[in-house]
Each structure stands twice: as structure tokens, then as C-alpha cells.
Amino acid sequence: NYTYGKQKWQQVNKYNKDSTISEHLELKLSSGKAKQNIRYEYEYYPDKQRKQTRLYDSKNKLKHVWNYECDSKGKMETKKFKITK
């Protein structure tokens, strides 16, 4: 748990059987309840090198995908743009 300003947060990590992280959650704590703020899902190659990272918002909507096939730092594959008239 940590506090940023007046807001309290909690980080939760879930792990695969091989000790690699499968999911990272950022939870907003309010009135004794925890609400998901963002979620990262991680996918790995058999040698435990990261294959892909997906970022979801508080409504579980996919926001970004990073692929690590060519670059160990991760190359962003998708990006959402706001369309204005």
C-alpha cells in the first residue's frame, strides 16, 4: 500500500508457476473498497524473456500493447487516438 497525495493505492502482483509475473494491478482504495485503476498482463517466451505486455484501463479496455520480439525495451504496437471533428 502507498499514498499519493490524499489517495491511497494498493499494488497486487500475480505470478505464473515459473515465478514470472503474469499480472500487475493498481487498485484505488476508497471507503474500505478497492477499485481497479490499471492492469498490466504479461506474456513470456519459454526461456522466460518477455514476449508481450498489455495495458488495460479501469474499465478493462485495452489501451496499449508492447511487443518485445525485436527490441528488449518493447515496441508499442497499438496506440489509441482521439478523433475530433
Side-chain angles (χ1 to χ4, degrees):
N1 292 349
Y2 67 95
T3 303
Y4 184 76
K6 293 183 179 181
Q7 183 61 54
K8 292 184 180 182
W9 298 88
Q10 181 178 8
Q11 295 181 347
V12 177
N13 292 322
K14 296 181 182 179
Y15 295 90
N16 295 314
K17 291 179 182 179
D18 63 0
S19 299
T20 55
I21 187 168
S22 63
E23 190 174 61
H24 172 81
L25 300 168
E26 295 270 336
L27 305 172
K28 187 177 184 179
L29 303 176
S30 178
S31 302
K33 295 181 181 178
K35 183 178 178 183
Q36 178 185 311
N37 185 45
I38 59 170
R39 175 171 54 103
Y40 289 93
E41 286 184 353
Y42 303 98
E43 189 177 343
Y44 297 89
Y45 290 107
D47 66 356
K48 296 185 182 181
Q49 294 294 316
R50 195 174 295 168
K51 182 178 183 180
Q52 189 179 77
T53 301
R54 293 178 299 281
L55 170 64
Y56 296 87
D57 66 9
S58 60
K59 296 177 183 176
N60 282 322
K61 184 176 179 183
L62 182 63
K63 297 307 257 181
H64 297 289
V65 175
W66 291 271
N67 281 323
Y68 297 86
E69 292 176 2
C70 299
D71 186 357
S72 63
K73 292 183 181 179
K75 177 181 166 188
M76 186 181 296
E77 184 173 89
T78 62
K79 186 173 183 177
K80 304 286 182 179
F81 293 96
K82 185 176 180 180
I83 300 171
T84 58
K85 293 183 180 181

